[in-house]
Amino acid sequence: MIAIVKHGAKKEQIDNLIDWFKKRGLETHLSVGEFTTIIGLIGDTSRVDIELIEGLDIIESVKRISEPFKSANRKFHPDDTVVDIGGIKIGGGNFQLIAGPCSVESEEQILEVARSVKASGATILRGGAFKPRTSPYAFQGLQSEGIDLMVKAGKTAGMPIVTEIMNTNHLPLFEEVDAIQVGARNMQNYELLKELGETGKPILLKRGLANTITELLMSAEYILAGGNKNVILCERGIRTFETYTRNTLDLAAVPVLKELTHLPVIVDPSHATGSAKLVKPMALAAAAAGADGIMIEVHTDRAGPACAPPPPRTPEQFDDVADRVRRIREVIS
Amino acid sequence: MIAIVKHGAKKEQIDNLIDWFKKRGLETHLSVGEFTTIIGLIGDTSRVDIELIEGLDIIESVKRISEPFKSANRKFHPDDTVVDIGGIKIGGGNFQLIAGPCSVESEEQILEVARSVKASGATILRGGAFKPRTSPYAFQGLQSEGIDLMVKAGKTAGMPIVTEIMNTNHLPLFEEVDAIQVGARNMQNYELLKELGETGKPILLKRGLANTITELLMSAEYILAGGNKNVILCERGIRTFETYTRNTLDLAAVPVLKELTHLPVIVDPSHATGSAKLVKPMALAAAAAGADGIMIEVHTDRAGPACAPPPPRTPEQFDDVADRVRRIREVIS
Amino acid sequence: MIAIVKHGAKKEQIDNLIDWFKKRGLETHLSVGEFTTIIGLIGDTSRVDIELIEGLDIIESVKRISEPFKSANRKFHPDDTVVDIGGIKIGGGNFQLIAGPCSVESEEQILEVARSVKASGATILRGGAFKPRTSPYAFQGLQSEGIDLMVKAGKTAGMPIVTEIMNTNHLPLFEEVDAIQVGARNMQNYELLKELGETGKPILLKRGLANTITELLMSAEYILAGGNKNVILCERGIRTFETYTRNTLDLAAVPVLKELTHLPVIVDPSHATGSAKLVKPMALAAAAAGADGIMIEVHTDRAGPACAPPPPRTPEQFDDVADRVRRIREVIS
Amino acid sequence: MIAIVKHGAKKEQIDNLIDWFKKRGLETHLSVGEFTTIIGLIGDTSRVDIELIEGLDIIESVKRISEPFKSANRKFHPDDTVVDIGGIKIGGGNFQLIAGPCSVESEEQILEVARSVKASGATILRGGAFKPRTSPYAFQGLQSEGIDLMVKAGKTAGMPIVTEIMNTNHLPLFEEVDAIQVGARNMQNYELLKELGETGKPILLKRGLANTITELLMSAEYILAGGNKNVILCERGIRTFETYTRNTLDLAAVPVLKELTHLPVIVDPSHATGSAKLVKPMALAAAAAGADGIMIEVHTDRAGPACAPPPPRTPEQFDDVADRVRRIREVIS
């Protein structure tokens, strides 16, 4: 880490700051230039709060030179992590299609969707039981009943299941869940991440709406630091000024993450775009960008939608996407 | 709410959608124009998921016409809400200065800061015991010990206290805390909001880094819907492409919120800017914009910082800010 | 267009506004609801400034119902536009690879790159003669000499050329240029767009750093309105908070644009990502998303870079990208 | 400038890069750490394209240590620049209110507004003759006739005038204009900036919608580098995800700019917010933040708006804003 000292800082102020760094166990290296003085910090800077130093009057800016994430860092773990979700491997060359409805609504619905997506080549079933909703008046999911239905549908179809958690108190309900999803809004709910780090369950961690790639990795680090090595990262769109799509899918995050970390990286085009017609082209683009998996919402409710967004609504549509994704995987291999 | 139908949608599709709305208890009003067909929805549209409808193939866009927040809406509650924090009123013309360190570090520290900010005119003491940190390796706060020290400092100085909660399981520790803060990263931790809605405590709700004004109000709505009417909103900067400041302080949010809602609105210039020198001008600007209070970090640690950001570090500096803020309040009154 | 009137607006104010609309030749339709009053505007609303109406005290918001772009709108021109760049067709199923260096630096350099990219399958040569640079002290391009070298290289290699214009006064220099590029920073330089609308040249219009899809189409509309129908749109990344990549490539813009407009849409992964390693995965993703072409920077200067970004530096690397792009085109067809 | 080399870069690659830097006249200083290698660059790095270096395979990131702007930099010019606009000084403690309509529409209109704002304390008259409009079908301003009317109104009211330029070819029309405005959309129209640098006219340079503070200063640098020292910077809102206001007014940019540069800094709350009601609180906040001036749109058209946004429409309203701004200036002095 280097701290760039402001033009005009007094020697006494700089000396005080260096003393303060030394008390925190850091070695310092002072470099005085014509217009700029730089303090290099050597040692375990992952414990130093970069914002703290940046806030000081005499500091112009602080720049990390090594990444603040360790367990997630490919530099120290060059081999791909392969996460096993109920017998289905993801990462390290293993690509999976995760599909299912936004919300579990009824036994009939989830069983039909599970059967249908399995037939089209999906290998993991997704479906929400606890739903994070902007409005307290909106449908909040079937909750524990929804989890039971997911477990039943997964067993019936012979597919492992993934579903979202919103509260550490609900953990006992997730015993038969194969992979636990942390939604975008909870990406920095550190208390939740810490508790998930103490389970052995695969965790599907979604990127927050306005979180950087580094912050996503730091949230993964919370889980890894607790001893749980089974983390899958998910790009699902970031918030920008563009309003045509619900969010802006940042597909470059896929190759960036694949370089920075050994963890598997998947993409959710359904939530990112919020539009039925965009799921197919964005799923194909995600595959072309090198994702280890794609998570797509599939609905069989032909009468109308029960949860957003409803793309590839029929098994035929999903089938087509799945087939082309497989062929794109061949092109990039 | 109005749903604008895509050019080219078939009559049968539109009829199906109208049926589906009707099943959800909504009255519909169809208006067919030369290039556009609009479905007006009348009834309790707060239960309709706008993203769901937007995701449909035949829908071009959906626009809410009435705000989705009710309890927080000034239209239905024209009078300002006044929140009482341990005897100190905020809102409805009552302006308060909230001050204290970022983190509680020791009894000596928090007692000294409390004494000092009280003398300068602060009326509420702030200080973090549970700290949300990007890195799992960074200092996470003194936690329950920190709460005890805050309570002691508040009593000694004769000031009510506010401190952040990160986990519903910690609620019992907050019994003697006068106001509970929900940090930016937890603004959409709905499980936490729901539980805080069941307490009677004043809640200081910070705007998330990438959350809209409407979403902030919807998160307040979660607390209000639970029966807790004591919500204070806090603008603390949003994330943009600008890197000179840590975040971009959105001061226009203050008059916008004052128009939309009856809840008090305060501003935190310290976290928004992340820079010592910017706290004073931004505090004065916040007062001029009509904020009901300002929350400033004050440190007395002259040897160095213990938490970011350290601005108005001395009592004299804070005194100067407090005095000018008071005079600006007179100008705008 | 509909204008939603604020709760509490007086009848007289609404009547005044309706009169004002009528004077501007618009028919109005008033709909008074329990909480909301809506004024529907019928007629040529493309001449109404939406921001003007939104700024009025009694207006809550204004929503366009029909798109403000006409000539670019697929609704009125369902067939794909095919643009002919010096005999090479783009759009309507015709896919092209545009390649070349960022800046023209010397005759030797541009001739070598042209030869090399042609051999790998590029069909159009790109290269900057006038360079928009953030700093007035940076290299501003070879300017008119650079145009001459581009023309010569294009003729030698048998490829049409595209190069950027920054000033309407330079138009005479572009006589032998096959397609004129408008850079991101000039996307809303309306005076430039108007003049280009009066030429018959193909215009490659890049999306501005913080411009919406609608604004890109409105800028295209400036050129089309002038009588020049040969516009190609280019997605090249938008500015967000993410700092790992130079910009965030918005690939969903490709299928969105393909639905909204009949104009060809290409992608520039080099400038969007600013990183050598990301060009290949993003080029493949752009092809999978349905782009009509991809524009890639190619350098043959093995000793070092002369302009950013240097990806697929060798003919072999570009060859590999070109080959896989072709195969992805087959998968999505 | 420092270039951080990627982990795993080969010695030969690093040596090549160092050679390449040396050929460009830069001294280099290599520092090899356990996990990181840093190349320090000494010399005139303002000529080095930072994006170029960042795009190299072996480079992790590049960080400027000294600002790339020189003539605008307060480090080298500690004293405030005072710009004289037709006898009215701005900067260096001189605060000015600039007021007038968005567009000049008629002689009667501009004369009435000029008289009215002068009476309320405005010292400079603003009004658009050339209007940058998103739509080619919208009113584009009275153009040269508008300039004539502005000149006449300024002379009649005894006020200097400022109006926007969009095309270098129009420069001859601006001879009697006291200050020339460069709008947000043209902030990086470098050809325009270069030509304005060759005039002696005061230039009011507006920040682009998605431009950083550094980029604004670099655009000022284009004008300064041409020999024109009379540049006034204007914050007018940046584009974010928030949709309640037209843009997000970044008031922290005011004290940041005041620290970085000696140039005067003003604020335009009318265009930033796009809402009549927000102009007053944001004007007061801008004054409190330390702006050297405020630019407000004032309309006297009581029947309806002719251009957006119409705030402080009556002389009485503007009078109130002007009075409070003066009193806030006293508080912060």
Side-chain angles (χ1 to χ4, degrees):
Chain A
M1 193 187 282
I2 58 168
I4 300 166
V5 178
K6 273 202 181 130
H7 191 68
K10 288 176 193 143
K11 192 182 169 307
E12 192 202 330
Q13 292 177 302
I14 298 173
D15 289 348
N16 275 346
L17 184 59
I18 288 176
D19 274 358
W20 186 83
F21 283 132
K22 285 184 176 160
K23 276 187 207 141
R24 265 124 197 103
L26 294 169
E27 226 177 291
T28 62
H29 180 266
L30 190 69
S31 152
V32 182
E34 193 181 354
F35 290 119
T36 319
T37 296
I38 296 176
I39 306 173
L41 297 172
I42 301 144
D44 185 3
T45 59
S46 67
R47 289 172 186 277
V48 175
D49 184 346
I50 197 166
E51 296 192 337
L52 176 169
I53 315 296
E54 277 179 337
L56 293 173
D57 281 0
I58 62 165
I59 293 299
E60 184 134 334
S61 63
V62 181
K63 298 172 192 300
R64 273 195 195 284
I65 280 169
S66 53
E67 290 99 354
F69 46 92
K70 295 169 170 179
S71 303
N73 201 326
R74 193 182 277 279
K75 279 184 193 161
F76 312 125
H77 310 77
D79 293 338
D80 283 350
T81 285
V82 178
V83 176
D84 184 308
I85 301 180
I88 300 292
K89 289 181 179 3
I90 191 162
N94 302 286
F95 180 91
Q96 304 301 340
L97 275 178
I98 304 171
C102 178
S103 289
V104 185
E105 287 163 60
S106 68
E107 183 169 337
E108 191 199 348
Q109 170 236 22
I110 188 67
L111 285 175
E112 186 188 344
V113 175
R115 219 177 0 247
S116 140
V117 299
K118 172 121 198 222
S120 301
T123 46
I124 300 170
L125 181 67
R126 57 111 41 244
F130 291 96
K131 299 298 304 171
R133 309 306 286 267
T134 311
S135 167
Y137 312 117
F139 173 57
Q140 309 271 321
L142 289 184
Q143 316 218 356
S144 67
E145 188 198 338
I147 303 261
D148 293 344
L149 293 176
M150 277 297 288
V151 170
K152 186 166 181 184
K155 283 187 180 154
T156 306
M159 299 171 87
I161 60 171
V162 58
T163 192
E164 181 167 351
I165 196 167
M166 289 173 64
N167 190 328
T168 55
N169 295 337
H170 298 157
L171 253 178
L173 299 171
F174 284 71
E175 224 161 80
E176 292 189 74
V177 169
D178 300 286
I180 301 178
Q181 177 175 313
V182 176
R185 294 177 179 87
N186 280 312
M187 192 201 92
Q188 292 191 318
N189 181 343
Y190 299 125
E191 293 287 316
L192 180 60
L193 300 178
K194 280 180 196 171
E195 293 215 29
L196 295 176
E198 285 166 22
T199 72
K201 295 263 187 206
I203 307 299
L204 197 164
L205 179 66
K206 288 192 147 189
R207 182 180 183 182
L209 269 178
N211 287 111
T212 61
I213 289 172
T214 302
E215 286 169 345
L216 173 60
L217 288 168
M218 290 309 292
S219 286
E221 195 79 14
Y222 261 96
I223 301 168
L224 298 167
N228 183 350
K229 303 301 180 198
N230 300 304
V231 179
I232 299 159
L233 305 172
C234 180
E235 162 62 30
R236 45 81 70 224
I238 57 173
R239 190 164 262 186
T240 70
F241 58 84
E242 179 56 63
T243 54
Y244 244 105
T245 44
R246 193 189 299 165
N247 297 121
T248 298
L249 188 63
D250 179 11
L251 281 182
V254 175
V256 168
L257 283 166
K258 299 292 289 177
E259 185 182 352
L260 292 175
T261 185
H262 48 90
L263 298 172
V265 179
I266 69 168
V267 172
D268 175 350
S270 301
H271 282 89
T273 61
S275 154
K277 288 202 178 148
L278 298 176
V279 170
K280 180 179 163 182
M282 288 302 101
L284 303 190
D292 295 305
I294 297 172
M295 183 151 80
I296 293 182
E297 299 210 350
V298 178
H299 293 262
T300 50
D301 174 9
R302 284 147 218 265
C307 183
R313 219 196 268 85
T314 61
E316 297 75 32
Q317 287 171 329
F318 181 68
D319 219 34
D320 176 47
V321 172
D323 175 57
R324 291 181 202 255
V325 162
R326 266 187 297 270
R327 289 161 61 200
I328 284 181
R329 292 276 304 158
E330 280 165 30
V331 173
I332 67 164
S333 69
Chain B
M1 193 187 282
I2 55 168
I4 300 165
V5 178
K6 275 202 181 130
H7 192 69
K10 288 174 193 145
K11 194 183 167 304
E12 190 202 331
Q13 292 176 302
I14 298 173
D15 289 347
N16 275 348
L17 185 58
I18 287 177
D19 275 356
W20 186 83
F21 283 132
K22 286 185 177 160
K23 277 188 207 140
R24 264 123 199 104
L26 294 168
E27 227 177 291
T28 61
H29 179 268
L30 189 69
S31 151
V32 182
E34 191 180 357
F35 290 120
T36 320
T37 297
I38 295 177
I39 306 173
L41 296 172
I42 300 143
D44 185 4
T45 58
S46 67
R47 289 171 187 278
V48 175
D49 186 347
I50 197 165
E51 296 191 336
L52 176 167
I53 314 297
E54 277 178 336
L56 294 173
D57 281 0
I58 62 163
I59 293 300
E60 184 133 333
S61 64
V62 181
K63 299 175 190 298
R64 272 195 194 285
I65 279 168
S66 53
E67 289 97 353
F69 45 91
K70 297 171 169 179
S71 303
N73 201 327
R74 194 183 275 280
K75 280 184 193 160
F76 312 124
H77 308 77
D79 293 339
D80 282 350
T81 284
V82 178
V83 176
D84 185 308
I85 301 179
I88 300 292
K89 290 182 177 4
I90 192 161
N94 302 285
F95 179 92
Q96 303 302 339
L97 275 177
I98 304 169
C102 178
S103 289
V104 185
E105 287 163 62
S106 68
E107 182 168 338
E108 192 198 349
Q109 171 238 21
I110 189 66
L111 285 174
E112 187 188 343
V113 174
R115 221 178 358 249
S116 141
V117 299
K118 170 118 200 225
S120 301
T123 46
I124 299 170
L125 181 66
R126 58 114 37 247
F130 291 95
K131 300 298 304 171
R133 308 307 286 267
T134 310
S135 168
Y137 312 117
F139 174 57
Q140 308 271 321
L142 289 183
Q143 316 219 356
S144 67
E145 188 196 338
I147 303 260
D148 293 344
L149 293 177
M150 276 297 288
V151 170
K152 186 168 182 181
K155 285 188 178 154
T156 306
M159 299 171 87
I161 59 171
V162 59
T163 192
E164 181 168 351
I165 196 167
M166 288 172 64
N167 189 326
T168 54
N169 296 337
H170 298 156
L171 253 179
L173 299 170
F174 285 71
E175 222 162 82
E176 293 191 73
V177 169
D178 301 285
I180 301 178
Q181 177 176 312
V182 176
R185 292 177 180 86
N186 279 313
M187 192 200 93
Q188 292 191 318
N189 181 342
Y190 300 124
E191 293 287 316
L192 181 60
L193 300 178
K194 280 180 196 170
E195 295 215 27
L196 295 175
E198 285 166 22
T199 72
K201 295 265 186 207
I203 307 300
L204 197 164
L205 179 66
K206 288 192 149 190
R207 181 180 183 182
L209 271 177
N211 287 112
T212 62
I213 289 172
T214 302
E215 286 170 345
L216 174 58
L217 288 168
M218 290 309 292
S219 286
E221 195 79 14
Y222 261 96
I223 302 168
L224 297 167
N228 184 349
K229 303 301 179 197
N230 301 303
V231 178
I232 299 159
L233 305 172
C234 180
E235 161 61 31
R236 46 79 71 223
I238 57 173
R239 191 163 262 185
T240 70
F241 58 83
E242 178 57 62
T243 54
Y244 244 105
T245 44
R246 193 189 299 165
N247 296 121
T248 297
L249 188 63
D250 178 12
L251 281 181
V254 175
V256 168
L257 282 167
K258 299 293 289 177
E259 187 184 351
L260 293 175
T261 185
H262 48 90
L263 299 172
V265 179
I266 69 169
V267 172
D268 174 351
S270 301
H271 282 89
T273 62
S275 154
K277 287 202 177 149
L278 297 176
V279 170
K280 180 179 163 180
M282 288 301 100
L284 303 189
D292 295 305
I294 297 171
M295 184 151 79
I296 294 182
E297 299 210 351
V298 178
H299 293 263
T300 51
D301 173 9
R302 285 147 219 265
C307 182
R313 219 196 270 80
T314 64
E316 298 75 32
Q317 287 171 328
F318 180 68
D319 220 33
D320 176 48
V321 172
D323 176 56
R324 291 181 203 255
V325 162
R326 268 188 296 270
R327 288 162 60 199
I328 284 180
R329 292 275 304 157
E330 280 164 29
V331 173
I332 67 164
S333 70
Chain C
M1 193 188 282
I2 56 168
I4 300 166
V5 178
K6 274 202 183 132
H7 191 69
K10 288 175 193 145
K11 193 182 169 303
E12 191 202 330
Q13 293 177 301
I14 297 173
D15 289 347
N16 275 347
L17 184 58
I18 287 176
D19 274 357
W20 186 83
F21 283 132
K22 286 184 177 161
K23 275 187 208 142
R24 265 126 198 101
L26 294 169
E27 225 177 292
T28 61
H29 179 268
L30 190 69
S31 150
V32 181
E34 193 180 356
F35 291 119
T36 318
T37 297
I38 296 177
I39 306 172
L41 297 171
I42 299 144
D44 186 3
T45 59
S46 69
R47 289 172 186 277
V48 175
D49 185 346
I50 196 164
E51 296 191 336
L52 175 167
I53 315 295
E54 277 179 336
L56 294 173
D57 282 1
I58 63 162
I59 293 299
E60 185 135 330
S61 63
V62 181
K63 299 173 192 300
R64 272 195 196 285
I65 280 168
S66 53
E67 289 98 354
F69 44 92
K70 296 171 172 180
S71 304
N73 201 328
R74 194 183 276 279
K75 280 184 194 161
F76 312 124
H77 310 74
D79 292 338
D80 283 349
T81 285
V82 178
V83 177
D84 184 308
I85 301 180
I88 300 291
K89 291 182 176 5
I90 191 161
N94 301 287
F95 180 92
Q96 303 301 341
L97 274 178
I98 304 169
C102 177
S103 290
V104 185
E105 286 163 62
S106 68
E107 182 168 338
E108 191 199 349
Q109 171 237 21
I110 189 66
L111 286 175
E112 186 187 344
V113 174
R115 218 176 2 246
S116 142
V117 299
K118 170 118 201 225
S120 301
T123 46
I124 299 169
L125 181 67
R126 55 109 46 243
F130 291 95
K131 300 297 304 171
R133 309 306 285 265
T134 311
S135 167
Y137 312 117
F139 173 58
Q140 310 270 322
L142 289 184
Q143 316 218 357
S144 66
E145 187 198 338
I147 303 261
D148 293 343
L149 293 176
M150 275 297 288
V151 170
K152 184 166 184 184
K155 285 187 179 155
T156 307
M159 300 171 86
I161 60 170
V162 58
T163 191
E164 181 167 350
I165 196 167
M166 289 173 64
N167 190 326
T168 54
N169 295 337
H170 298 156
L171 254 178
L173 299 170
F174 285 70
E175 223 161 83
E176 293 190 72
V177 169
D178 301 284
I180 301 178
Q181 178 175 312
V182 175
R185 293 176 179 87
N186 279 314
M187 191 201 92
Q188 293 191 318
N189 182 342
Y190 299 124
E191 293 288 317
L192 180 60
L193 300 178
K194 280 180 197 170
E195 295 217 25
L196 294 175
E198 285 166 23
T199 72
K201 294 264 187 205
I203 307 299
L204 197 163
L205 179 65
K206 288 192 148 191
R207 181 180 183 183
L209 269 178
N211 287 112
T212 61
I213 288 171
T214 301
E215 287 169 345
L216 173 59
L217 287 168
M218 290 309 292
S219 286
E221 195 78 13
Y222 261 96
I223 302 168
L224 297 167
N228 184 349
K229 304 300 179 198
N230 300 304
V231 179
I232 299 160
L233 305 172
C234 180
E235 161 62 30
R236 46 80 70 224
I238 57 173
R239 191 163 261 187
T240 70
F241 58 83
E242 178 58 61
T243 54
Y244 245 105
T245 43
R246 193 190 298 165
N247 296 123
T248 297
L249 188 64
D250 179 13
L251 282 182
V254 176
V256 168
L257 283 167
K258 298 292 290 176
E259 186 182 351
L260 293 175
T261 185
H262 49 89
L263 298 171
V265 179
I266 68 168
V267 172
D268 175 349
S270 301
H271 282 89
T273 62
S275 156
K277 289 202 177 150
L278 298 176
V279 170
K280 179 179 163 182
M282 289 301 100
L284 303 189
D292 294 306
I294 298 172
M295 183 151 80
I296 294 183
E297 299 209 350
V298 178
H299 293 263
T300 51
D301 173 8
R302 285 146 219 265
C307 183
R313 220 198 269 78
T314 62
E316 297 76 31
Q317 287 171 328
F318 180 68
D319 219 33
D320 176 47
V321 171
D323 175 57
R324 291 181 202 254
V325 161
R326 266 188 297 269
R327 288 161 61 198
I328 284 181
R329 292 276 305 158
E330 281 164 30
V331 174
I332 67 164
S333 69
Chain D
M1 193 187 282
I2 57 169
I4 301 166
V5 178
K6 275 203 181 131
H7 192 69
K10 289 178 192 142
K11 193 182 170 304
E12 192 202 330
Q13 292 177 301
I14 298 173
D15 288 349
N16 274 347
L17 184 58
I18 287 176
D19 273 357
W20 186 83
F21 283 132
K22 285 184 177 161
K23 275 186 209 143
R24 265 124 197 102
L26 295 168
E27 227 177 291
T28 61
H29 179 268
L30 190 69
S31 152
V32 181
E34 193 181 353
F35 290 119
T36 318
T37 296
I38 295 176
I39 306 172
L41 296 172
I42 300 145
D44 186 2
T45 59
S46 68
R47 289 172 186 278
V48 175
D49 185 346
I50 196 166
E51 296 192 337
L52 174 169
I53 315 296
E54 277 179 336
L56 293 173
D57 281 359
I58 62 164
I59 293 300
E60 183 134 335
S61 63
V62 181
K63 299 173 190 300
R64 273 195 194 282
I65 280 168
S66 54
E67 290 97 354
F69 45 92
K70 295 170 170 179
S71 303
N73 201 326
R74 194 182 276 279
K75 280 184 193 162
F76 312 125
H77 309 76
D79 293 338
D80 282 350
T81 284
V82 178
V83 176
D84 185 307
I85 301 180
I88 300 291
K89 289 181 178 2
I90 191 162
N94 303 286
F95 179 93
Q96 304 301 340
L97 274 177
I98 304 168
C102 177
S103 289
V104 185
E105 287 163 61
S106 68
E107 182 168 337
E108 191 198 350
Q109 170 236 24
I110 188 66
L111 287 174
E112 185 188 344
V113 174
R115 221 179 355 251
S116 142
V117 299
K118 171 118 199 225
S120 302
T123 46
I124 300 169
L125 181 67
R126 56 112 43 245
F130 291 95
K131 301 297 303 172
R133 309 305 286 267
T134 311
S135 168
Y137 311 117
F139 174 56
Q140 309 271 322
L142 290 183
Q143 315 220 356
S144 68
E145 186 198 340
I147 303 259
D148 293 344
L149 293 177
M150 276 296 288
V151 170
K152 185 166 183 184
K155 282 186 180 155
T156 307
M159 301 170 86
I161 60 170
V162 58
T163 192
E164 181 167 351
I165 196 168
M166 289 172 64
N167 190 328
T168 55
N169 295 338
H170 299 157
L171 253 178
L173 300 170
F174 285 71
E175 224 163 80
E176 292 189 74
V177 170
D178 301 285
I180 300 178
Q181 177 176 311
V182 176
R185 293 178 179 86
N186 279 314
M187 193 200 92
Q188 293 191 317
N189 181 341
Y190 300 125
E191 293 288 316
L192 180 60
L193 301 178
K194 280 180 196 170
E195 294 215 29
L196 295 175
E198 282 165 26
T199 73
K201 296 263 188 206
I203 307 298
L204 198 164
L205 178 65
K206 288 193 147 189
R207 181 180 183 182
L209 270 178
N211 286 112
T212 62
I213 289 172
T214 302
E215 286 169 345
L216 172 59
L217 289 168
M218 291 310 291
S219 285
E221 195 79 14
Y222 261 96
I223 302 167
L224 298 166
N228 183 349
K229 302 302 179 196
N230 300 305
V231 178
I232 300 160
L233 305 172
C234 180
E235 162 61 30
R236 45 82 68 224
I238 57 174
R239 191 163 262 186
T240 70
F241 58 84
E242 179 57 60
T243 53
Y244 245 106
T245 44
R246 192 188 300 165
N247 296 122
T248 297
L249 188 63
D250 179 12
L251 282 182
V254 176
V256 167
L257 282 167
K258 298 294 288 178
E259 187 183 350
L260 292 175
T261 185
H262 49 89
L263 299 171
V265 179
I266 69 168
V267 172
D268 175 350
S270 301
H271 281 89
T273 62
S275 154
K277 288 202 177 149
L278 297 175
V279 170
K280 179 179 165 181
M282 288 302 100
L284 304 189
D292 294 307
I294 297 172
M295 184 151 80
I296 294 183
E297 299 209 352
V298 179
H299 293 262
T300 51
D301 174 8
R302 284 147 219 264
C307 182
R313 219 195 270 83
T314 63
E316 298 75 32
Q317 287 171 328
F318 181 67
D319 219 33
D320 176 48
V321 172
D323 176 58
R324 292 181 202 255
V325 161
R326 268 187 295 269
R327 289 161 61 199
I328 284 180
R329 291 278 303 158
E330 281 164 30
V331 174
I332 67 164
S333 69

